[in-house]
Amino acid sequence: MSIIALIDKLFIYPRPWVFTGAGVSTESGIPDFRSPGGLWDKVDPMENFSVRSLYTNPQGFFTHGIEMFKSIEAAEANAAHIVIGELQSKRIFGPLLTQNVDSLHQKGGAFNIYEAHGHIRTATCLECREITVSLAELMKKVADGEIPPRCDCGGILKPDVILFGDMMPDDFQEACNLTRCFNSEDKMIIVVGSSLTVAPVNSFPLDFNEICIINNSSTALDKQANIIINGSAGESLLDLKNKLVELNAGEEIKAFPPGFIPGVMINYLDKAIKKINPILMEADKLVNKLFTDISSSKKILSQYPLMDKRQTIEKAIIENLYNKVIQMENHLKENYNPEDKELAQLPEYLYNVLAANFKLIIRYKSQNIIDEKVLKELILQFLGVTGFYIFSMGLAFIH
Ligand code: NAD
């Protein structure tokens, strides 16, 4: 799937979350865990990067750890980190949740960062929990042969990363709480460079209505994803940025105004259309309300404030959304006619057909007397689910 499909979604879901994994940093020279030749091939992470190994095999932990810390310290942000930071500052991308511990997003100019697995900028004493030293100080202790490196109180100094066996940090909880606060709103997440196999962070994207994945191999959430861009993190994000600049008539994009979120109207209309259920007796009212909403959305978009002062990309977004509203209006006109006599009879017709079927099933299964109330509930639930499906099929089957 293409970057264009992602841009189309960006217009509708403003400020998507970005969620990154080790694959966003391989182009900076830091190996990931699971690619061939990645860290997994060289060391057993359970053996070397777990809380247990910190106590039972500190030599292994710090010897392998130090190798990784050194390569991380020397690494520079790559195109992927830089584009993510830039698009955040243009108010095109929203907050960032990263599994990486390398601080390259900070180096690349990103902000509003939640570090799901901590970071290695500092290390904290496991005993007193009060003393925190910098990575440089920790590395010096290890280089001087102090393994494990210790605090003055005698406790082991542990890098502030989340190891196998550790509790998840506040950052992860906060990111989860924040997204759940907005559960009533439609939202999108862009996952970059993660195999999505490490729990519990890999279920974070499931809180979003739209999932876009940019990765150079398959991931554990490909089936749930709406858009999959199979490619390099850096190249794909640069491509995205260049296409956005093209949409802005080749000019550098200025930050979008804080309240520039016309896409929410499309979400609202889309949701409302999906709610239409021929079984609801007030379906006609709902459709009439939708036609009114559609015409006010058209009006708002066609008279969008400060239109003449907006940069080209903002005009393009509004034009694109206007066209989408027209498409929705046409779809609704083609598929739903409140005057349709046959349609008005549909609820009763469906109810009777399904009631007969349910009765048969229940009688067959239990041979018991059927509770009409339960039966009615079952049927209504079933129809609620099928309602939109029937509607979107253009009600073909009754003709
Ligand atoms: P992972 O190794 O499981 O998956 C990385 C994914 O990125 C793979 O699917 C790989 O095919 C893909 N990939 C690699 N290079 C890419 C590129 N240039 N462009 C696009 N895709 C690319 O990594 P994960 O899902 O993040 O989980 C591993 C765990 O390891 C995380 O918890 C993370 O904390 C830790 N880790 C972090 C770093 C780091 O901080 N840089 C490095 C290694 C591991």
Side-chain angles (χ1 to χ4, degrees):
M1 257 176 269
S2 70
I3 293 287
I4 298 292
L6 171 58
I7 292 182
D8 203 41
K9 298 276 182 193
L10 273 181
F11 289 172
I12 295 177
Y13 299 90
R15 321 258 157 86
W17 274 72
V18 182
F19 176 46
T20 62
V24 88
S25 295
T26 54
E27 289 163 52
S28 293
I30 303 174
D32 61 7
F33 269 175
R34 287 175 187 78
S35 294
L39 239 46
W40 219 263
D41 282 353
K42 296 183 190 135
V43 293
D44 177 349
M46 286 306 280
E47 207 38 63
N48 293 289
F49 298 124
S50 63
V51 180
R52 193 175 51 83
S53 72
L54 181 65
Y55 288 104
T56 58
N57 180 16
Q59 192 70 36
F61 181 94
F62 283 100
T63 316
H64 291 296
I66 221 76
E67 235 181 85
M68 191 177 170
F69 300 162
K70 276 188 196 152
S71 73
I72 286 180
E73 236 201 350
E76 293 298 334
N78 66 50
H81 302 109
I82 295 169
V83 171
I84 290 172
E86 270 182 34
L87 294 184
Q88 275 189 317
S89 67
K90 312 280 185 210
R91 294 201 192 89
I92 294 175
F93 280 175
L96 170 68
L97 177 70
T98 185
Q99 298 172 82
N100 296 346
V101 298
D102 56 26
S103 307
L104 287 184
H105 282 300
Q106 284 87 339
K107 282 192 185 170
F111 53 95
N112 214 348
I113 304 172
Y114 296 86
E115 294 172 310
H117 292 159
H119 58 82
I120 58 157
R121 293 185 291 279
T122 49
T124 302
C125 172
L126 287 175
E127 287 298 321
C128 66
R129 307 257 168 202
E130 277 170 18
I131 302 298
T132 297
V133 300
S134 69
L135 176 65
E137 285 171 81
L138 185 84
M139 293 211 323
K140 182 164 181 323
K141 278 176 184 279
V142 176
D144 291 346
E146 191 183 326
I147 295 181
R150 291 192 184 271
C151 160
D152 289 345
C153 79
I156 298 178
L157 287 164
K158 172 192 170 265
D160 290 326
V161 285
I162 301 305
L163 300 174
F164 291 99
D166 262 330
M167 298 266 291
M168 293 303 281
D170 288 352
D171 262 28
F172 179 60
Q173 306 301 347
E174 271 173 38
C176 292
N177 290 344
L178 195 60
T179 54
R180 282 170 198 157
C181 282
F182 294 98
N183 257 0
S184 57
E185 283 175 24
D186 294 311
K187 42 196 190 310
M188 170 157 87
I189 187 159
I190 303 174
V191 182
V192 192
S194 175
S195 60
L196 292 167
T197 46
V198 178
V201 272
N202 62 344
S203 53
F204 186 77
L206 298 175
D207 260 348
F208 291 76
N209 310 69
E210 292 278 332
I211 303 176
C212 167
I213 295 178
I214 302 177
N215 210 59
N216 67 7
S217 65
S218 59
T219 81
L221 287 190
D222 282 3
K223 282 211 175 84
Q224 283 86 345
N226 306 83
I227 297 179
I228 296 177
I229 294 167
N230 195 264
S232 122
E235 277 170 26
S236 308
L237 283 165
L238 264 182
D239 190 17
L240 170 67
K241 185 193 147 178
N242 291 339
K243 292 220 161 61
L244 288 171
V245 170
E246 252 173 57
L247 266 170
N248 202 30
E251 281 176 24
E252 180 73 13
I253 299 171
K254 290 192 230 102
F256 284 6
F260 188 73
I261 43 171
V264 291
M265 246 182 307
I266 301 290
N267 282 330
Y268 163 75
L269 290 176
D270 191 42
K271 246 196 204 162
I273 288 177
K274 285 180 183 154
K275 243 197 268 163
I276 296 179
N277 181 338
I279 264 6
L280 292 174
M281 296 319 282
E282 69 271 45
D284 293 357
K285 275 193 223 144
L286 190 62
V287 174
N288 285 336
K289 179 174 172 337
L290 259 183
F291 277 119
T292 317
D293 288 344
I294 280 179
S295 87
S296 31
S297 300
K298 270 165 54 184
K299 202 163 160 195
I300 291 169
L301 288 170
S302 63
Q303 296 170 5
Y304 209 82
L306 304 175
M307 215 27 193
D308 51 332
K309 295 202 175 67
R310 294 201 178 270
Q311 53 186 332
T312 313
I313 187 167
E314 290 171 29
K315 287 181 186 159
I317 290 174
I318 290 165
E319 198 180 281
N320 178 294
L321 296 178
Y322 186 85
N323 291 336
K324 280 206 158 57
V325 177
I326 301 280
Q327 277 170 24
M328 284 175 161
E329 187 179 34
N330 291 339
H331 179 79
L332 204 58
K333 275 183 191 155
E334 278 164 24
N335 289 292
Y336 197 99
N337 174 8
E339 307 301 321
D340 193 325
K341 289 271 165 16
E342 278 178 277
L343 183 67
Q345 288 158 11
L346 182 66
E348 208 188 327
Y349 166 76
L350 280 176
Y351 187 92
N352 291 338
V353 171
L354 288 165
N357 285 327
F358 271 110
K359 274 183 186 168
L360 273 177
I361 293 165
I362 294 172
R363 191 172 298 145
Y364 176 74
K365 281 267 181 207
S366 66
Q367 302 291 324
N368 279 340
I369 301 161
I370 295 156
D371 180 337
E372 290 289 335
K373 248 171 94 182
V374 174
L375 180 67
K376 194 170 169 191
E377 201 52 44
L378 273 172
I379 293 163
L380 287 176
Q381 274 181 27
F382 179 73
L383 291 179
V385 178
T386 52
F388 177 64
Y389 175 72
I390 293 160
F391 170 69
S392 59
M393 294 271 291
L395 305 169
F397 75 98
I398 53 167
H399 293 295

